[in-house]
Amino acid sequence: MSNELIISVNTPEINIALLENKQLVELYNEKTNSGFAVGDIYIAKVKKVVSGLNAVFVDLGYEKDAFLHYHDLGPQFNSLSLLLSQVLNNKAYNKSFSKFSRVQDIDKNGNISDVIKAGQLILVQVAKEPISSKGPRLSSEISIAGRNLVLLPFSDKVSISSKIESVEEKARLKKLVQSIKPNNYGVIVRTACVGKNASELATEILGLAEKWEKALIRLKKINTSTPKLVLSELDRVSALLRDILSPSFNNIVIDNKELFEETRDYLKEIAPEKEKIVKEYVGKVSLFDNYGIDKQVKSLFDQNVAIKNGAYLIIQHTEALHVIDVNSGNRTKFEKDQESNALDVNTAAALEIARQLRLRDMGGIIVIDFIDMKSPENKAKLYEAMKNAMASDRAKHNILPLSKFGLMQITRQRVRPELTINTKEVCPCCKGKGEISTSSGLIEKIEDDLKHIVKLLKFRKIKLVTHPIIAGYLSKGLIPIKMKWQLKYYRNIKIQSSSKANFLEYSFYDDKDNKINL
């Protein structure tokens, strides 16, 4: 599998697209002046303690107060509070953090009013960005992420990623990390750590520890009258590279010279062997157009998403959950029975649903209504297909088998707002009073129907009747689309315009002018 990262800079935003085998699987829109990135560490003041929720609301400088629950304080919250007090009160915090004396853990079943008071200054980390009407979600269990490791101040535990399958490698890494990590630091060993030697890991651990200690020194100089950023997470480009860079990565293309140089320098630090894959784009056509990303975006972010052979998904959203309906469309594979057709469509739908979850960054509860199947064996096959399709999803998720109603439930971690792109466009027939589905996918839909007519219905001569604008688009040009279709399908295809047809309306007819029913 080949991975490509395409980065387009349009002030004041950066658009980032991840392609797997030329298919768009992740899309990010990063505002250059945006705040509250997941992983940012702030010093802030507690605004209100709500014992009933066992949580506090924190003034983080956002229009909505941030939320911090007792269970997100972390067991070593008292130690964090003591350290913060020493630093802010200038009580000679000049020693190494590894020599700091921790105090007793908080009671895991305690009440938040016992450990936090209104007006208290606390150190917090953004766990979720503001979503919908909710403010940021916070944690006081501080973690500092690196390429291979995650450093946890106030801990001594070494945890190994469950995605590392080799028992021997797990044991080797645990023993290695325990021998090199400083006191007062815990470590989470990431999947990228596999095969790394002691020198590489020691360099990264010391670098992350230094980052934390510099943040503590910076705290001394901060005016605590307002919330202040203490330690910032990497920008979205660098964070993506840190988290997803793998041997299969073969292309990073950027259309901005400054960002190109910054990315190349960052890649030189974390993976010197990959430095040459960073390329600057200087073409006249926009970068996203050159890679066909805009075209994919317009066809993939609609409410209706085509799968294959006429099947499609309907994706709808509510505040509480997302609902996806799988439809077989108006055609089937005639040589197969209904159960086999259902499994075929459902399996293809599982692949596209996994892609859509990553692409739109859908989180929370997702309910999928697959086409009904009776066979328990086929239901098990679909469940496995869904798990395999989501194996490459970096967000934490949980998939349940099909219920007796044929519904599959998925929970997926949501740490930032879902990406939504409006793919509706103003209808030229009603002068903007209504909306129609995007026309960008119309030509693909026409060709999809044409393919069905040729391969399954076996018509030799075909006439397409459509709106004059669409007819002109298909028939004109140096090499018209109509000619490409004729050469591709070896059929005589005639395009006829009709002023009676709506803008996106079309019909197919045979050589006797009988309408072809799809």
Side-chain angles (χ1 to χ4, degrees):
M1 180 184 290
S2 65
N3 288 335
E4 296 178 287
L5 201 63
I6 312 301
I7 304 167
S8 180
V9 179
N10 298 301
T11 307
E13 64 183 23
I14 300 174
N15 295 304
I16 307 166
L18 175 62
L19 305 181
E20 290 181 357
N21 294 332
K22 305 297 181 184
Q23 277 200 322
L24 181 64
V25 293
E26 292 185 27
L27 185 66
Y28 300 92
N29 182 271
E30 179 82 350
K31 303 290 184 185
T32 55
N33 56 355
S34 64
F36 306 114
V38 173
D40 284 353
I41 299 174
Y42 286 82
I43 182 170
K45 185 175 289 187
V46 175
K47 193 170 181 181
K48 186 178 182 182
V49 179
V50 184
S51 296
L53 295 175
N54 207 14
V56 295
F57 288 95
V58 181
D59 178 13
L60 211 62
Y62 186 68
E63 56 187 274
K64 297 281 186 180
D65 289 336
F67 182 80
L68 175 63
H69 193 272
Y70 183 84
H71 291 151
D72 294 321
L73 293 179
Q76 285 288 339
F77 181 77
N78 285 337
S79 296
L80 178 64
S81 298
L82 175 61
L83 176 70
L84 182 62
S85 174
Q86 288 182 0
V87 171
L88 294 180
N89 294 326
N90 237 346
K91 288 191 177 177
Y93 182 77
N94 297 315
K95 57 187 178 183
S96 168
F97 175 72
S98 62
K99 296 178 181 177
F100 175 75
S101 298
R102 288 181 287 168
V103 294
Q104 187 176 0
D105 290 0
I106 62 173
D107 180 3
K108 65 178 180 179
N109 296 316
N111 192 287
I112 201 158
S113 59
D114 296 332
V115 291
I116 297 182
K117 306 300 178 187
Q120 180 178 336
L121 290 173
I122 56 174
L123 209 58
V124 291
Q125 188 167 31
V126 178
K128 288 185 181 180
E129 293 179 14
I131 297 173
S132 186
S133 59
K134 300 173 183 176
R137 178 80 183 248
L138 304 177
S139 170
S140 281
E141 197 162 11
I142 306 298
S143 62
I144 304 166
R147 167 83 178 122
N148 303 298
L149 308 157
V150 179
L151 199 65
L152 306 172
F154 303 104
S155 174
D156 281 316
K157 187 178 178 182
V158 175
S159 303
I160 309 292
S161 168
S162 59
K163 292 183 180 179
I164 299 177
E165 297 178 355
S166 169
V167 176
E168 293 79 9
E169 182 64 4
K170 282 184 175 182
R172 183 188 76 88
L173 288 171
K174 187 162 189 175
K175 185 177 180 181
L176 187 60
V177 171
Q178 282 176 332
S179 67
I180 59 179
K181 74 172 187 65
N183 186 41
N184 274 344
Y185 288 107
V187 175
I188 298 173
V189 177
R190 307 180 77 172
T191 313
C193 229
V194 173
K196 302 294 182 183
N197 58 41
S199 175
E200 291 176 284
L201 299 183
T203 301
E204 183 165 335
I205 287 176
L206 292 175
L208 294 174
E210 184 181 7
K211 193 175 179 181
W212 168 245
E213 300 225 15
K214 284 182 177 178
L216 294 178
I217 293 170
R218 199 177 302 120
L219 265 174
K220 293 182 177 182
K221 304 172 185 177
I222 288 179
N223 178 0
T224 55
S225 58
T226 57
K228 286 289 189 299
L229 180 65
V230 175
L231 184 61
S232 178
E233 170 65 297
L234 296 170
D235 60 81
R236 187 65 54 85
V237 176
S238 299
L240 263 179
L241 286 175
R242 180 193 67 199
D243 294 340
I244 68 177
L245 190 65
S246 68
S248 63
F249 243 86
N250 55 5
N251 223 9
I252 299 173
V253 185
I254 305 172
D255 63 3
N256 177 274
K257 187 172 183 63
E258 183 181 351
L259 185 58
F260 159 73
E261 291 175 349
E262 288 177 7
T263 304
R264 185 182 58 186
D265 291 342
Y266 177 68
L267 209 59
K268 194 186 297 184
E269 290 180 13
I270 66 167
E273 73 282 359
K274 288 285 186 180
E275 180 190 351
K276 292 181 180 178
I277 69 174
V278 186
K279 299 165 187 172
E280 184 183 7
Y281 179 76
V282 291
K284 293 182 179 178
V285 179
S286 76
L287 180 56
F288 271 33
D289 274 341
N290 186 59
Y291 279 83
I293 295 169
D294 282 335
K295 185 178 179 181
Q296 290 193 56
V297 167
K298 289 177 181 177
S299 62
L300 290 171
F301 277 84
D302 203 354
Q303 178 176 292
N304 290 21
V305 178
I307 309 170
K308 68 170 189 176
N309 299 329
Y312 60 95
L313 306 174
I314 299 177
I315 303 175
Q316 295 182 317
H317 313 279
T318 71
E319 182 71 18
L321 50 80
H322 307 278
V323 181
I324 302 175
D325 186 32
V326 180
N327 289 273
S328 60
N330 53 11
R331 69 192 72 159
T332 59
K333 293 186 176 180
F334 298 121
E335 69 273 14
K336 290 188 175 184
D337 58 55
Q338 183 178 352
E339 183 80 4
S340 298
N341 276 320
L343 178 61
D344 184 61
V345 172
N346 284 340
T347 304
L351 292 172
E352 184 58 39
I353 288 167
R355 180 188 179 194
Q356 287 289 329
L357 296 185
R358 291 176 65 188
L359 187 60
R360 304 186 190 212
D361 203 10
M362 293 162 61
I365 301 172
I366 300 107
V367 178
I368 307 166
D369 183 10
F370 283 104
I371 298 170
D372 288 339
M373 297 186 297
K374 295 180 180 178
S375 166
E377 183 182 350
N378 287 341
K379 291 179 179 180
K381 285 180 181 178
L382 176 58
Y383 176 56
E384 288 301 317
M386 193 75 234
K387 288 200 295 184
N388 291 335
M390 291 196 64
S392 58
D393 193 337
R394 290 177 291 113
K396 292 179 182 177
H397 58 269
N398 186 34
I399 307 169
L400 296 181
L402 287 168
S403 71
K404 64 179 181 180
F405 299 116
L407 303 176
M408 181 177 287
Q409 298 172 70
I410 298 175
T411 59
R412 186 175 183 272
Q413 183 184 31
R414 177 167 60 179
V415 297
R416 57 181 58 90
E418 178 192 348
L419 179 61
T420 55
I421 295 177
N422 184 16
T423 59
K424 303 290 183 182
E425 46 190 53
V426 178
C427 175
C429 303
C430 64
K431 308 299 181 185
K433 293 181 180 178
E435 288 184 326
I436 54 176
S437 296
T438 174
S439 61
S440 62
L442 177 65
I443 306 305
E444 287 85 351
K445 190 172 186 298
I446 293 174
E447 185 178 2
D448 192 32
D449 286 339
L450 178 63
K451 190 189 301 181
H452 171 65
I453 291 170
V454 170
K455 292 188 175 181
L456 294 180
L457 302 184
K458 309 294 185 183
F459 284 97
R460 304 294 305 178
K461 293 183 179 181
I462 304 163
K463 180 172 72 173
L464 170 66
V465 178
T466 185
H467 189 277
I469 293 176
I470 304 300
Y473 178 76
L474 294 171
S475 305
K476 307 297 181 183
L478 186 62
I479 305 178
I481 294 175
K482 181 186 80 168
M483 184 183 294
K484 293 179 182 178
W485 286 349
Q486 289 181 148
L487 294 172
K488 184 176 180 180
Y489 298 109
Y490 301 102
R491 293 293 189 274
N492 183 355
I493 301 171
K494 181 181 178 182
I495 309 290
Q496 180 179 315
S497 65
S498 171
S499 58
K500 294 180 181 179
N502 292 328
F503 186 55
L504 301 183
E505 184 182 0
Y506 63 91
S507 301
F508 287 98
Y509 295 84
D510 61 18
D511 57 346
K512 296 179 181 178
D513 262 354
N514 295 316
K515 186 175 181 180
I516 300 173
N517 294 314
L518 297 171

